[in-house]
Amino acid sequence: MIRSLLLASVAVILAQPALAQEAPPAADPPAAAGAPAKAGKIANDGRDIVVTTRLDRARASIQPSLGATTYTITNETIQALPGGDNQQLNQILLQLPGVVQDGFGQFHVRDDHNNLQYRINGTILPEGVAVFGQTLSPRLVDRFDLRTGALPAQYGLRTAGIIDITTKSGFNNGGELSLYGGSHGTIEPSIEYGGSTGATNYYVTGSYRHSDLGIEAVDPDRTALHDKTNQYQGFVYLDHTLDEGNRVSFIGGYSDQSFQIPNPRGLHPDGTYSVGGVTDFLSDNLDERQRERTAFGIASFLHDAGPVTLQASLFARYSSLRYTPDTLGELLFNGIAQAAFKQDFSVGGQLEGVYRAGDAHTLRGGVIISRDRGNSRTTSQVFPGTVDDNGDFHQSGEPISIADNGAATEWTYSAYLQDEWKLSRALTVNFGGRFDHYNGFRAESQFSPRINAVLTPIHGLTLHAGYARYFSPAPFANVATTSVAKFVNTSAEAPNGLTSTTPFAERQDYLDIGAEQKLGDVTIGIDAYHRRSKNLIDEGQFGAPIILTPFNYAHGRIDGVEGNISYAHGAWQIYGNIAYAKAQGQTIASGEFNFDPADVAYIQNHYIYLDHDQTYTGSGGASYRFSDGTKLGTSMIYGSGLRRDGDVPNGGKLPPYAVFNLTASHHFAGTGLEVRADIFNVADHVYEIRDGSGIGVGAPQFGQRRGFFFGISEKI
């Protein structure tokens, strides 16, 4: 009966069956580095299980996290959180130390703006142009590690955080069907199924999500105005073991996500502009939309032969973003209405390996080459006219159309070599370097030395310290190609003739030191970092299309400290995190035309806070598992508030907030049925993530109000 109900509900929405994996019985809190990955559950003889597990470990040995700060979340942890794997991946990442919540589904690791690299089973997933959408679903995750700090040499170009996902694989030929939904018109059916046949393992998942709260609301009302979203996601994993030392695998995914842009209520234009004699427009009636699509594929060959392990991978990703304006409304409010389409296609290869030279030395090296082709097409409706000495625009005619199209190609080349040297049982040093070169809108390169040391002086205590030189080009797909000269004598003219310098690569010196102490079932960790940057990269929203555009501060400084504690014993899992950070930049060094001239002049000689700086960030959670299959849990996030304008740019901050969530679930013994109930923002706390002011900030965003959600799943 229940299965029939679930299948019927999913069929109405997707016109096809849909499924999801049963939650594992236990729940683990976010853990420190070194937590072992779980072996796949393969329905074969013991020999096949041993081979698969050994190859998984061999693959993991190519890129250890030695010396880096690593936080781990397992599938069990995800299932224990409110929402489980029905959440977006970015919401789960907020439970880790130093991860700051922002609007548009964005988040920041250690007060950096993006600069994140995703890896799937060790292979790089190229960047795309998505803003709101989450390309990867938590349903595909067996575990993921967030690596940050002073990273070993295999990690480069994107260095604020490495999100390394280990996918589910190998199942007892089964899956689950799930239906989840509740407040804000949310409905989310999903399907996942995995199994094995002979030496081949497979796993597939698909989901659909509809919500009336697709993006953070621009006001504190319970019901957002014009904020619907429809999202489709699919993922497939295949691997085939050729023999005891060789395996081939394929990973593929697709997402298609459409969003309405939420409207502020009750606003009217100031009367500066007129279209055919019309000067008024109610903001409630705006109809702006954005659609984001992504497809990716990764093919890998893993070879393990005694002291040598190699993995060779080919990867590709296509992504596109289309913004459709409300032409009349945007012209009257902003003086420009811009239809924008950006697409990006990346392809590349990655060869990495490890050679175990003996008990004391383990050598690792690799080469990564990628090609990125980006296209941008915009059509802007603007008013002809002039700007007087006071900066006021005077319209001289009806709107005109200006096309501004561009295309470019970027090649990136990277190579690294490093040695893990065990000087003693208690002390290990990992040292090496990497060379990166890119040729796109600019051509730049750098050699980056790295060194990390890990000391375990007594049982349960681990100390680490490291230095890394980093090199991070601006995200190629997001670099603006606007021709400033085309908009002279229009309502979109750059203020006071400011220029449009192409972004530079950021160059950093990064120091990190930390400690972890295990005391029985309790683990305590602390980590501090110090970073100095030349041409620090930030991103902002400039104009109505929700496209984040990179720019540089000539000088940057970011410092912080993180603390975490966890307890795991029996049915209890408890964790808590707190972080302090301070991020500042001085002198706008690229994309100057996007800024107010007075702000540019002030920043020229003064350090200001970055718009995404948050002084204190916290998170925590607890769960308890009863013997009858019932689980209870809670999670929370705390933020002291992102920046807003004050007496100087980004000189103020928003009020602090704390949001608490609850979950309860029950697995019915002897059946494949599980039900869950979740409450988000239990106290219905009204809090603002952004207020629309600050450098590169386009609109206010408010956190989700209280919501009730329910789910039911059945094993098939």
Side-chain angles (χ1 to χ4, degrees), residues 110-232:
R110 292 191 167 184
D111 264 9
D112 212 325
H113 197 294
N114 290 332
N115 196 20
L116 302 169
Q117 181 182 101
Y118 289 82
R119 292 189 174 212
I120 303 179
N121 293 344
T123 301
I124 294 170
L125 176 64
E127 293 177 305
V129 295
V131 178
F132 306 135
Q134 300 291 312
T135 301
L136 300 174
S137 167
R139 291 187 178 85
L140 62 90
V141 175
D142 179 63
R143 61 173 279 164
F144 69 81
D145 299 314
L146 172 62
R147 298 190 178 100
T148 186
L151 299 169
Q154 68 259 37
Y155 302 112
L157 301 180
R158 299 289 167 255
T159 53
I162 309 298
I163 301 167
D164 193 356
I165 295 171
T166 300
T167 62
K168 298 174 181 176
S169 64
F171 292 85
N172 292 317
N173 297 322
E176 245 179 33
L177 178 68
S178 174
L179 183 63
Y180 187 77
S183 299
H184 315 296
T186 301
I187 186 165
E188 186 173 350
S190 63
I191 177 174
E192 56 184 309
Y193 194 91
S196 61
T197 173
T200 301
N201 300 309
Y202 59 90
Y203 170 74
V204 294
T205 180
S207 66
Y208 165 80
R209 177 183 176 87
H210 170 85
S211 175
D212 296 337
L213 188 65
I215 308 170
E216 290 86 0
V218 297
D219 57 41
D221 286 14
R222 292 182 179 276
T223 303
L225 182 62
H226 192 264
D227 198 9
K228 298 182 186 299
T229 183
N230 291 290
Q231 304 177 21
Y232 299 87

Side-chain angles (χ1 to χ4, degrees), residues 269-280 328-336 382-384 392-395 397 399 490-492:
D270 62 9
T272 299
Y273 307 109
S274 171
V275 179
V278 176
T279 60
D280 193 29
L328 177 60
E330 291 187 28
L331 278 169
L332 295 178
F333 275 103
N334 305 320
I336 178 173
V382 295
F383 295 101
D392 296 324
F393 178 77
H394 300 280
Q395 179 182 339
T490 74
S491 51

Side-chain angles (χ1 to χ4, degrees), residues 121-433:
N121 293 344
T123 301
I124 294 170
L125 176 64
E127 293 177 305
V129 295
V131 178
F132 306 135
Q134 300 291 312
T135 301
L136 300 174
S137 167
R139 291 187 178 85
L140 62 90
V141 175
D142 179 63
R143 61 173 279 164
F144 69 81
D145 299 314
L146 172 62
R147 298 190 178 100
T148 186
L151 299 169
Q154 68 259 37
Y155 302 112
L157 301 180
R158 299 289 167 255
T159 53
I162 309 298
I163 301 167
D164 193 356
I165 295 171
T166 300
T167 62
K168 298 174 181 176
S169 64
F171 292 85
N172 292 317
N173 297 322
E176 245 179 33
L177 178 68
S178 174
L179 183 63
Y180 187 77
S183 299
H184 315 296
T186 301
I187 186 165
E188 186 173 350
S190 63
I191 177 174
E192 56 184 309
Y193 194 91
S196 61
T197 173
T200 301
N201 300 309
Y202 59 90
Y203 170 74
V204 294
T205 180
S207 66
Y208 165 80
R209 177 183 176 87
H210 170 85
S211 175
D212 296 337
L213 188 65
I215 308 170
E216 290 86 0
V218 297
D219 57 41
D221 286 14
R222 292 182 179 276
T223 303
L225 182 62
H226 192 264
D227 198 9
K228 298 182 186 299
T229 183
N230 291 290
Q231 304 177 21
Y232 299 87
Q233 289 182 316
F235 176 84
V236 60
Y237 171 85
L238 296 169
D239 75 48
H240 179 73
T241 301
L242 302 173
D243 54 43
E244 291 189 357
N246 297 282
R247 182 173 68 189
V248 293
S249 62
F250 174 78
I251 299 168
Y254 177 76
S255 65
D256 187 340
Q257 303 172 325
S258 59
F259 302 87
Q260 295 178 332
I261 308 301
N263 296 342
R265 291 175 166 89
L267 302 181
H268 296 268
D270 62 9
T272 299
Y273 307 109
S274 171
V275 179
V278 176
T279 60
D280 193 29
F281 194 102
L282 181 62
S283 62
D284 300 44
N285 299 327
L286 289 167
D287 185 15
E288 303 161 320
R289 299 171 184 263
Q290 190 153 302
R291 184 180 183 186
E292 302 174 7
R293 292 188 290 177
T294 292
F296 67 87
I298 298 171
S300 299
F301 170 70
L302 177 68
H303 171 72
D304 181 53
V308 176
T309 302
L310 296 171
Q311 178 165 280
S313 301
L314 297 175
F315 52 79
R317 175 171 177 166
Y318 169 84
S319 60
S320 68
L321 180 154
R322 183 182 299 277
Y323 174 80
T324 304
D326 186 306
T327 303
L328 177 60
E330 291 187 28
L331 278 169
L332 295 178
F333 275 103
N334 305 320
I336 178 173
Q338 186 177 83
F341 177 75
K342 292 176 74 77
Q343 65 177 359
D344 184 81
F345 180 69
S346 298
V347 62
Q350 179 178 340
L351 174 63
E352 295 183 305
V354 55
Y355 172 61
R356 303 163 189 90
D359 293 338
H361 294 276
T362 301
L363 300 176
R364 295 181 176 88
V367 176
I368 303 101
I369 300 174
S370 64
R371 180 186 183 272
D372 202 336
R373 177 69 175 176
N375 289 274
S376 175
R377 301 198 299 270
T378 63
T379 302
S380 303
Q381 300 289 323
V382 295
F383 295 101
T386 58
V387 179
D388 62 25
D389 293 339
N390 296 321
D392 296 324
F393 178 77
H394 300 280
Q395 179 182 339
S396 62
E398 292 299 306
I400 59 175
S401 179
I402 297 177
D404 190 13
N405 303 326
T409 301
E410 179 180 81
W411 284 90
T412 303
Y413 309 88
S414 301
Y416 70 87
L417 181 65
Q418 60 189 344
D419 179 18
E420 179 183 329
W421 183 14
K422 294 184 178 179
L423 287 90
S424 69
R425 294 185 61 182
L427 178 62
T428 301
V429 175
N430 192 71
F431 65 93

Side-chain angles (χ1 to χ4, degrees), residues 480-484 487 492-501 542 549 588 590-597 600:
T481 58
T482 301
S483 301
V484 177
F487 295 93
E493 181 177 354
N496 293 353
L498 292 178
T499 57
S500 179
T501 306
F542 305 106
T549 303
I588 302 296
S590 66
E592 298 87 346
F593 77 101
N594 290 303
F595 301 93
D596 182 275
V600 173

